[in-house]
């Protein structure tokens, strides 16, 4: 196996030059190269205010350290409501959708397939809700521009994806990891199902790993103040396999009895009725070979079915 430089496999890309056409072209080329290899990169110079990120993390950590009976008032209540979840294992999570504050009728109209974006948000209090809304708006703005850079990287018109995300059904999840020993996986290996994931890097402790080849796990460089960006299975399908959706996991930093921590990924998802067609034929060995075109709603239904069948 050839040695790999992690910074080449998961490069750091400076977005501060994206205000000019020349800068955007150079950034798009770097993003395209990363997406063809690992599908992961980190971004600096992103323009998201430090104050907003700090308020988001302070607010969210404060929620998870509230008394249990107080948190229970925001608990998930089946498929109809987002909110606090305790899935078992070394963490609990709080989730919200950009569509979750719509009326019952508006959410019910978001496709015929069962989908989490049809669930109502449930908020602990108005201050929490306000900070989360502000952060979601910032993540949406950043993600939308990354999608425009994706379009340039793929040789498409820069606004190619705009109309496919103008009523997006994106999801944000705050994962609260309990303190634990270094031999415990915080998240098992997986790929993301959607188009684009954006995750803030709070400190240098790290723990996120990507898989290269069959069992070669590489640490994603932890650059405080950056965002880790990765594409999911939907984007890999959309590009006809040209771009890679890579298996990843979360471990405790080596040699530490890790403290609790919060991780808040934002999953940027297209409109529920956007039709996705591969930009070139999929290889026969692809997990999605045989799918010619699907709506986003059909895609997530397909992923749910195939996942449950595989685990049965």
């Amino acid at each position: 196996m050839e040695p790999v430089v992690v910074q080449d496999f998961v490069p750091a890309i400076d977005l501060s030059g994206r205000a000019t056409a020349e800068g955007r072209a150079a950034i798009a080329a770097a993003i395209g190269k990363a997406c063809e290899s690992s599908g992961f990169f980190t971004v600096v110079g992103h323009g998201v205010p430090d104050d907003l990120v700090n308020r988001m993390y302070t607010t969210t950590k404060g929620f998870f350290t509230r008394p249990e009976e107080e948190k229970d008032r925001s608990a998930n209540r089946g498929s109809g409501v987002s909110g606090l979840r305790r899935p078992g294992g070394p963490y609990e999570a709080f989730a919200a959708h950009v569509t979750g504050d719509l009326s019952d009728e508006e959410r019910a109209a978001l496709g015929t397939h069962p989908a989490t974006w049809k669930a109502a948000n449930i908020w602990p209090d108005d201050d929490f809700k306000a900070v989360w809304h502000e952060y979601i708006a910032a993540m949406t703005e950043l993600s939308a521009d990354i999608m425009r850079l994706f379009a340039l990287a793929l040789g498409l018109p820069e606004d190619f994806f705009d109309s496919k995300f103008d009523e997006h059904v994106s999801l944000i999840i705050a994962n609260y990891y309990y303190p634990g020993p270094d031999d415990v996986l915080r998240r098992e290996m997986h790929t993301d199902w959607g188009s684009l994931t954006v995750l803030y890097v709070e400190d240098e402790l790290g723990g996120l790993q990507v898989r290269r080849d069959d069992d070669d796990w590489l640490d994603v460089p932890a650059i405080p103040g950056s965002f880790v960006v990765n594409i999911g299975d939907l984007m890999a399908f959309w590009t006809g396999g040209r771009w890679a959706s890579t298996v990843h996991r979360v471990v405790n930093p080596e040699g530490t009895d890790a403290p609790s921590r919060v991780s808040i990924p934002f999953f940027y998802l297209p409109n529920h009725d956007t039709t996705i067609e591969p930009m070139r034929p999929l290889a026969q060995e692809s997990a999605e070979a045989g799918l010619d075109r699907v709506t986003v709603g059909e895609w997530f239904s397909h992923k749910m079915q195939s996942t449950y069948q595989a685990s049965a």
Side-chain angles (χ1 to χ4, degrees):
M1 181 187 304
E2 291 294 325
V4 62
V5 178
V6 176
Q7 288 79 4
D8 291 339
F9 198 57
V10 184
I13 299 174
D14 188 349
L15 299 185
S16 61
R18 59 187 164 135
T20 67
E22 182 180 5
R24 293 182 74 78
I27 293 168
I31 287 175
K33 183 178 178 181
C35 288
E36 288 180 0
S37 58
S38 68
F40 272 79
F41 54 96
T42 62
V43 295
V44 297
H46 45 72
V48 178
D50 291 341
D51 172 68
L52 172 57
V53 175
N54 292 336
R55 286 188 288 115
M56 178 66 176
Y57 274 75
T58 299
T59 298
T60 303
K61 289 176 183 176
F63 167 77
F64 283 114
T65 55
R66 293 181 187 184
E68 293 300 313
E69 61 272 15
E70 186 176 341
K71 290 193 296 182
D72 284 344
R73 293 197 289 270
S74 301
N76 170 267
R77 299 171 190 148
S79 60
V81 176
S82 297
L84 177 68
R85 294 175 181 269
R86 298 183 179 95
Y91 76 102
E92 57 191 47
F94 186 94
H97 283 82
V98 299
T99 53
D101 294 333
L102 298 174
S103 69
D104 291 346
E105 293 76 14
E106 289 172 314
R107 286 184 285 100
L110 296 173
T112 58
H113 296 279
T116 59
W117 56 73
K118 298 167 77 172
N121 290 334
I122 180 168
W123 300 105
D125 54 60
D126 289 343
D127 290 341
F128 183 102
K129 177 181 176 180
V131 172
W132 271 55
H133 273 213
E134 190 176 351
Y135 189 78
I136 288 169
M139 292 301 96
T140 298
E141 182 179 356
L142 176 61
S143 299
D145 202 37
I146 291 174
M147 291 301 302
R148 296 184 190 106
L149 293 166
F150 278 1
L152 292 176
L154 292 164
L156 300 168
E158 186 170 347
D159 62 355
F160 176 83
F161 294 109
D162 286 6
S163 63
K164 299 163 178 58
F165 287 82
D166 56 3
E167 295 181 354
H168 61 106
V169 292
S170 302
L171 165 68
I172 186 168
I173 301 178
N175 298 304
Y176 178 71
Y177 295 111
Y178 306 132
D182 61 6
D183 59 349
V184 175
L185 276 178
R186 284 183 157 172
R187 290 299 300 273
E188 298 287 346
M189 64 180 188
H190 65 283
T191 59
D192 295 345
W193 290 358
S195 46
L196 171 66
T197 304
V198 181
L199 172 67
Y200 183 72
V201 180
E202 190 177 13
D203 54 41
E204 68 282 348
L205 289 179
L208 178 61
Q209 295 183 330
V210 294
R211 189 175 72 181
R212 179 178 182 258
D213 300 322
D214 290 336
D215 197 27
D216 184 17
W217 290 98
L218 302 174
D219 293 321
V220 173
I223 305 172
S226 68
F227 286 92
V228 175
V229 178
N230 68 277
I231 69 167
D233 297 342
L234 179 62
M235 198 67 208
F237 174 78
W238 213 337
T239 64
R242 175 177 170 181
W243 285 4
S245 176
T246 298
V247 173
H248 51 285
R249 67 184 183 184
V250 181
V251 300
N252 279 333
E254 187 174 355
T256 66
D257 192 9
S260 63
R261 66 183 294 141
V262 171
S263 171
I264 311 177
F266 177 74
F267 301 93
Y268 192 48
L269 307 176
N271 307 347
H272 77 91
D273 55 357
T274 289
T275 297
I276 310 296
E277 296 184 64
M279 296 175 184
R280 67 180 190 183
L282 288 164
Q284 287 303 307
E285 62 270 19
S286 166
E288 269 69 52
L291 282 179
D292 296 323
R293 62 200 305 267
V294 293
T295 65
V296 171
E298 291 168 341
W299 171 263
F300 279 90
S301 177
H302 157 75
K303 297 299 284 187
M304 288 287 289
Q305 292 173 7
S306 59
T307 298
Y308 286 137
Q309 289 171 357
S311 60

